[in-house]
Amino acid sequence: MAEAKPPPQELPLDPGSDPRAALGRLSPPGWARAWLEARRAGLRPWGSFLDQRRFGVPRDLGELLRRLGHNAERFQSNYLLLFLGLVLYCLVTSPLLLVAVGVFVGAAIAVRLRAREAPLVLLGRELTPAHQLGVAGGVSLPLFWLAGAGAAVFWVLGAALVFLGSHAAFRQLEPPETPELQMEPV
């Protein structure tokens, strides 16, 4: 005669528990939060970023290189935000790629939450969270390939290089704040 199985035990819910508390455990570490705050503080006003009066063709290669270096440093946060916008546009216009990224991110979150509870043992060997993420990436790889992730990466990099590089190359340098003697080119 078969034994009667006891009903599965449900975890008691704490009435004072907040579902956002679980998200708090997934918040970025302190160094990432500090980096994000530094990027936010370095964001220049969009009116200044897009001021058409400040654009012009560089006179020579030296000026082009100075503009590229100066503008890349000055507008780094703006460029990062526009780059992330291009990535978001690429994800939104490719639903299968969005699904592939969602599957991988979901697997990574599941690995992270599972690693806190107990180690995963497979065939008598303990898998570290890094190994589990590697397995999740390996399983997601065919889905990324089907979604055309390689083409999307090169599209985003190419578009960013053209648009952001053009902005950095053609936006004139800010005039110095202190009046100094400047030599005119001959």
Side-chain angles (χ1 to χ4, degrees):
M1 189 158 134
E3 293 181 26
K5 291 184 180 177
Q9 294 181 351
E10 294 182 17
L11 297 174
L13 291 176
D14 180 14
S17 70
D18 185 10
R20 291 174 286 181
L23 292 176
R25 292 183 294 194
L26 297 175
S27 67
W31 62 268
R33 194 173 304 119
W35 185 83
L36 288 172
E37 288 300 320
R39 297 290 70 78
R40 180 188 240 182
L43 195 63
R44 302 285 180 189
W46 291 104
S48 167
F49 182 78
L50 298 172
D51 186 9
Q52 293 178 0
R53 295 171 295 181
R54 302 288 307 157
F55 286 92
V57 178
R59 289 186 297 254
D60 57 10
L61 182 62
E63 184 180 2
L64 173 70
L65 294 176
R66 277 192 305 278
R67 284 184 184 188
L68 287 172
H70 179 264
N71 288 332
E73 183 179 331
R74 180 175 170 83
F75 295 109
Q76 181 181 20
S77 296
N78 295 70
Y79 291 155
L80 179 65
L81 197 60
L82 288 173
F83 179 78
L84 292 175
L86 287 172
V87 169
L88 184 65
Y89 171 77
C90 194
L91 286 174
V92 168
T93 58
S94 176
L96 188 56
L97 186 58
L98 189 61
V99 168
V101 169
V103 166
F104 178 71
V105 168
I109 290 173
V111 163
R112 184 171 177 187
L113 293 177
R114 170 106 169 87
R116 289 185 178 177
E117 294 173 7
L120 179 64
V121 178
L122 185 65
L123 300 174
R125 294 187 60 159
E126 182 178 329
L127 291 177
T128 65
H131 288 126
Q132 294 174 36
L133 281 175
V135 169
V139 169
S140 299
L141 197 61
L143 192 56
F144 281 122
W145 181 74
L146 286 173
V153 166
F154 284 111
W155 182 87
V156 168
L157 291 177
L161 184 64
V162 168
F163 293 125
L164 304 180
S166 296
H167 181 273
F170 291 113
R171 187 167 194 298
Q172 297 171 353
L173 298 175
E174 297 291 324
E177 294 179 11
T178 59
E180 297 178 359
L181 292 176
Q182 294 185 356
M183 297 181 68
E184 294 182 15
V186 280

